[in-house]
Amino acid sequence: MPVVTIDGPGGSGKGTIALRLAQHLGWNYLDSGALYRLVALSAMNHNVEISEERQLGRLARELDVEFVPHGNEPVTLMDGQDVTGKLRTEVVSAFSSCVAAIPMVRSGLLDRQRAFRQAPGLVADGRDMGTVVFPHAQLKIFLTASAQERARRRYKQLKEKEESVNLSRLLLDIEKRDERDRTRAISPLRPAADAHVIDSSEMGIAEVFQEILRLLEKHQVIRKDMLS
Ligand code: DC
């Protein structure tokens, strides 16, 4: 079963690209960041603190979650409730990066992530898809962009939703989250040895998408007629 992994820091565009690629190929899509966000949200709902590692591990193993395909943003149900709007808030973003550093949370989510590998193929988006979860993936992409460019993209996104935001504050938050994701002891954010690194700082989504299709064809994961 073919697997394509797209790892990289938040704001690199990997979520948009991975979903678009899955739709283009008719493959399954795993947004692993959403799982860490769901653990964070569940912990907040149950008043579980960051120091309660065992409890957090249990929440990760027992998450009752369903992703319902819905255009460009799947609807996420936790315990049957639509939590899509809550998952991307700054407070959940910050807490998810803390819970993601806990080994029991990571191991608690491992089988659930691997279960997404189903016919006809999987596009998996995250931080450790190519290094830990799917080390034998047919194609591994590490998509990155400068912190400034990622902050600018996030600013634009939040402005569109009319949330009040401050660009320099966003940049600081992004740098803090990157630092936590890169330096944690377990599954740190880094490209797999066999990953193709793409810097999207000066590339549009369409350009990145075409580059990934080209790599897929080159590695014989897709046929030439699936290029456009
Ligand atoms: O991709 P995202 O921003 O939705 O991810 C939210 C947090 O989860 C992020 O701070 C890092 C963490 N994460 C992780 O540690 N491993 C993954 N495979 C995906 C996300």
Side-chain angles (χ1 to χ4, degrees), residues 10 14 32-34 36-37 88 93 96-97 100 106 113 126-129 177 181 184:
K14 69 189 161 60
S32 59
Y36 289 95
R37 288 171 184 272
R88 306 246 145 232
S93 296
S96 65
S97 133
R106 302 202 75 85
Q113 294 175 84
R127 303 290 189 289
D128 61 343
M129 298 294 98
R177 198 141 68 94
D181 291 347
R184 68 179 174 224

Side-chain angles (χ1 to χ4, degrees), residues 16 25 36 89 101 120 151 157 164 201 208 210 213 221:
T16 310
L25 300 173
Y36 289 95
T89 57
Q157 239 175 19
S164 72
S201 302
V208 174
Q210 279 308 319
L213 284 184
V221 185

Side-chain angles (χ1 to χ4, degrees), residues 7 16 19 21 30 57-58 64 66 82 84 86-88 93 96 107 142 146 162 178 180 190 192 210-211 226-228:
D7 289 306
T16 310
L19 181 60
L21 187 62
L30 165 62
R58 195 171 61 80
D64 171 7
E66 195 184 342
D82 183 353
T84 319
K86 289 189 182 151
L87 282 190
R88 306 246 145 232
S93 296
S96 65
S107 60
F142 191 84
S146 68
E162 288 177 27
D178 280 1
R180 249 198 318 260
R190 64 171 173 82
Q210 279 308 319
E211 174 64 8
M226 292 171 87
L227 275 180
S228 55

